Amino acid sequence: MNKFMDKDFLLDTKSAKKLFHDYAEKMPICDYHCHLSPEEIYKNEQPSDISQLWLSGDHYKWRAMRSYGIDEKYCTGDATPKEKFLKFGEALGWCIGNPLYHWAHIELQRYFGIDTPLSEKTAEDIYERANKAIAEGDFRPQSLITKSNVKVVCTTDDPIDSLEYHKKLAEVPGFDCKVLPSFRPDKALNINLDGFADYIKALGNVSKIEIKCVDDVIAALQKRADYFGEVGCRVSDQAFDYVPFAKADKNELDKIFSKAMKGERPNQNDTDKYRTAVMLALGKKYAELGWAMEIHIGAMRNNNTAMFNKLGADTGFDSVGDCEIAKPLSRFLDALNIEGNLPKTILFNLNYKDNTVLATMLGNFQSSEAAGKIQFGPAWWFLDTMDGMTNQMKSLGNLGVLGKFVGMETDSRSFTSYGRHEYFRRIMCRLLGRWVEDGWYADDDEMLKQIVEGICYNNAIEYFKF
């Protein structure tokens, strides 16, 4: 029997151990997509306790607690920090098979020096020991980022954001990590959601453009993209249940836009027409700027209306969608490519059924502009599991060039979530090690070193041009 999460956790062959300990383990981290707050990174405040560090805003943990049957007051309610942590510890002991169990213990080991498994029996002791470590140590955001060997962080930022904290962070002495913005225009694309008209007015104000039509929306977004570029942005990010593709002429688009600005909610077809026009223009802009365009596909959000009304978005009530994505995605990429406007693109799916769709879609639009110009993004959110990450890499290996994969990102709001990179690297080395041991890939140490170090860090640095 293997020891619980020891130094060779998940590394089940001699080759896997060598690949991880000799190469993957020591590589820096490029976190090219996350939801960390640049303001919190800049202000650099010490957390009060482990509950603040771990449970505040973490809907992964809330979902597990709810599924175990814990009352909402211990998730997002007014229970004390200790009560919340004890309830989380109680639930975690039952989460066999859930990556949350592994993430939590990697974080306890790496940041707190605690090897004890967390459960109802041990939660109070671990709470006290972790808080003692916080009280006596340095758990400020910049220190945790530095300790985790993170060299690049790309936050997720709205086009109307001032980016003031990104600018301030660039001037912090001794902080050896680039904190860069990412351009996330979802609110300008979501013409079918409440608050669209108010957002467009805010976009007009910050860009100093009077927005009267769709062309004005595009002009305002392009102007803000230029500003983001000046502050170091190299990445855009868009989230869709499926990638829209429906063409319309200017007059039709402006009619759709005018109705939305008056408070009328467009139907799905009209929404797709508007999004298509804006995204084609943005794709061209991203290509001009040399950015990578991330497209996250497949989330079905805010399913629980009662809890959405109570807590708002991003509180743990999203799930995987099952839309058909192949044809509209193909037509969207082709429309950009045929005009020479297709930027570097990373496609993320949230439904496992779409692995082969994306892994084969890449090959349609590759070019010599960049190795792996069109990337199959790492398994994320509900696929951010041992099986999900393994299957994503298998699909890319089977159908593309896994050696040029840009690797893992945290997609997280937590400053201790960099343990997820270790988790990914162990799973990757487990997979590659098995292929070597089975004689499926040559035992070529020089080549394997380049592949592993590339997927861990080097490929992303080169791809994004950080």
Side-chain angles (χ1 to χ4, degrees):
M1 178 185 294
N2 294 328
K3 292 182 179 179
F4 172 68
M5 293 187 66
D6 65 1
K7 68 181 182 67
D8 291 329
F9 172 56
L10 297 179
L11 308 175
D12 58 353
T13 64
K14 181 179 179 181
S15 295
K17 293 173 185 177
K18 177 178 177 58
L19 293 177
F20 181 75
H21 292 304
D22 288 1
Y23 307 132
E25 189 173 23
K26 66 184 179 183
M27 293 302 291
I29 289 173
C30 172
D31 196 20
Y32 59 85
H33 173 70
C34 74
H35 297 276
L36 295 177
S37 163
E39 180 178 358
E40 290 181 10
I41 298 173
Y42 177 73
K43 290 184 176 178
N44 204 30
E45 296 176 351
Q46 180 86 341
S48 58
D49 71 348
I50 190 172
S51 285
Q52 181 187 349
L53 190 63
W54 265 23
L55 300 177
S56 176
D58 192 336
H59 53 75
Y60 285 88
K61 294 185 176 75
W62 297 341
R63 282 177 70 96
M65 293 166 74
R66 292 170 186 142
S67 295
Y68 178 70
I70 289 172
D71 189 85
E72 189 64 26
K73 83 175 208 174
Y74 298 102
C75 300
T76 62
D78 59 0
T80 67
K82 182 175 182 178
E83 288 173 334
K84 290 181 177 181
F85 185 85
L86 296 185
K87 286 295 184 182
F88 171 66
E90 178 184 345
L92 188 69
W94 295 86
C95 289
I96 186 169
N98 191 319
L100 186 63
Y101 188 82
H102 294 147
W103 296 342
H105 288 100
I106 288 173
E107 292 178 33
L108 283 174
Q109 291 175 6
R110 302 295 172 265
Y111 298 102
F112 297 93
I114 296 174
D115 294 319
T116 307
L118 177 57
S119 67
E120 182 177 11
K121 294 181 295 184
T122 63
E124 184 162 5
D125 176 61
I126 289 176
Y127 181 75
E128 299 300 333
R129 290 165 65 189
N131 286 343
K132 184 174 186 291
I134 291 173
E136 296 176 353
D138 186 352
F139 282 75
R140 294 173 299 170
Q142 291 176 28
S143 299
L144 291 173
I145 289 170
T146 299
K147 180 177 181 178
S148 303
N149 199 18
V150 184
K151 299 302 182 182
V152 180
V153 168
C154 293
T155 59
T156 302
D157 308 282
D158 192 278
I160 68 173
D161 196 291
S162 69
L163 307 183
E164 61 178 304
Y165 291 105
H166 295 86
K167 295 177 183 177
K168 290 178 178 179
L169 281 164
E171 304 299 325
V172 173
F175 183 44
D176 185 26
C177 177
K178 295 180 181 178
V179 181
L180 306 176
S182 296
F183 189 79
R184 178 86 172 230
D186 286 6
K187 290 182 180 178
L189 293 165
N190 290 335
I191 192 172
N192 59 324
L193 298 185
D194 293 339
F196 173 77
D198 289 338
Y199 178 80
I200 293 299
K201 291 172 185 174
L203 176 63
N205 290 336
V206 75
S207 62
K208 296 181 170 55
I209 292 176
E210 185 178 2
I211 299 179
K212 296 181 178 180
C213 63
V214 176
D215 283 348
D216 293 336
V217 175
I218 292 169
L221 289 171
Q222 290 173 332
K223 187 173 181 180
R224 296 303 295 169
D226 285 331
Y227 172 68
F228 270 55
E230 293 169 3
V231 184
C233 180
R234 304 292 304 163
V235 188
S236 73
D237 181 34
Q238 289 74 209
F240 298 107
D241 46 1
Y242 60 91
V243 176
F245 192 79
K247 287 293 196 75
D249 62 31
K250 176 176 170 50
N251 288 336
E252 185 177 5
L253 289 170
D254 287 341
K255 287 179 182 177
I256 294 168
F257 178 74
S258 179
K259 289 180 180 179
M261 292 300 289
K262 294 175 182 176
E264 296 182 34
R265 182 169 296 193
N267 60 35
Q268 191 63 54
N269 188 45
D270 285 348
T271 298
D272 286 352
K273 290 175 179 177
Y274 168 80
R275 287 175 169 173
T276 299
V278 176
M279 278 304 301
L280 288 174
L282 285 177
K284 179 180 180 181
K285 183 65 176 179
Y286 301 154
E288 291 173 357
L289 292 169
W291 290 3
M293 175 174 65
E294 295 179 354
I295 302 179
H296 287 81
I297 306 168
M300 189 163 64
R301 301 174 187 272
N302 306 318
N303 295 275
N304 188 326
T305 302
M307 294 305 289
F308 175 76
N309 291 338
K310 180 179 179 181
L311 300 175
D314 301 320
T315 52
F317 299 96
D318 307 320
S319 58
V320 175
D322 60 357
C323 294
E324 294 182 4
I325 69 170
K327 187 173 182 179
L329 174 59
S330 168
R331 294 305 83 210
F332 171 69
L333 296 175
D334 190 56
L336 286 169
N337 188 64
I338 202 168
E339 299 292 337
N341 298 329
L342 180 61
K344 290 179 290 187
T345 300
I346 308 179
L347 304 172
F348 299 77
N349 64 296
L350 197 55
N351 193 322
Y352 169 67
K353 73 176 179 60
D354 298 320
N355 274 14
T356 303
V357 171
L358 293 199
T360 56
M361 188 68 69
L362 312 178
N364 297 329
F365 301 102
Q366 302 289 16
S367 81
S368 59
E369 298 169 51
K373 175 183 175 180
I374 314 301
Q375 288 273 334
F376 184 5
W380 64 295
W381 204 346
F382 297 111
L383 292 181
D384 194 5
T385 64
M386 191 184 305
D387 289 340
M389 286 187 273
T390 300
N391 289 331
Q392 184 271 344
M393 285 185 279
K394 280 185 174 181
S395 293
L396 181 54
N398 292 167
L399 299 164
V401 182
L402 178 59
K404 288 300 179 180
F405 176 35
V406 293
M408 183 62 171
E409 32 81 289
T410 59
D411 189 37
S412 173
R413 293 167 173 80
S414 169
F415 291 105
T416 58
S417 64
Y418 291 108
R420 297 183 191 181
H421 280 263
E422 178 183 332
Y423 193 51
F424 165 82
R425 292 174 181 186
R426 288 176 178 273
I427 291 167
M428 175 189 65
C429 292
R430 176 188 178 99
L431 177 64
L432 300 187
R434 285 179 175 179
W435 286 348
V436 172
E437 299 264 339
D438 288 342
W440 294 7
Y441 188 85
D443 188 11
D444 182 337
D445 190 59
E446 181 181 358
M447 195 68 205
L448 287 165
K449 179 178 186 292
Q450 291 184 70
I451 290 172
V452 169
E453 292 181 348
I455 295 173
C456 287
Y457 180 76
N458 293 336
N459 292 348
I461 294 298
E462 174 61 24
Y463 183 79
F464 292 104
K465 303 297 182 186
F466 287 134

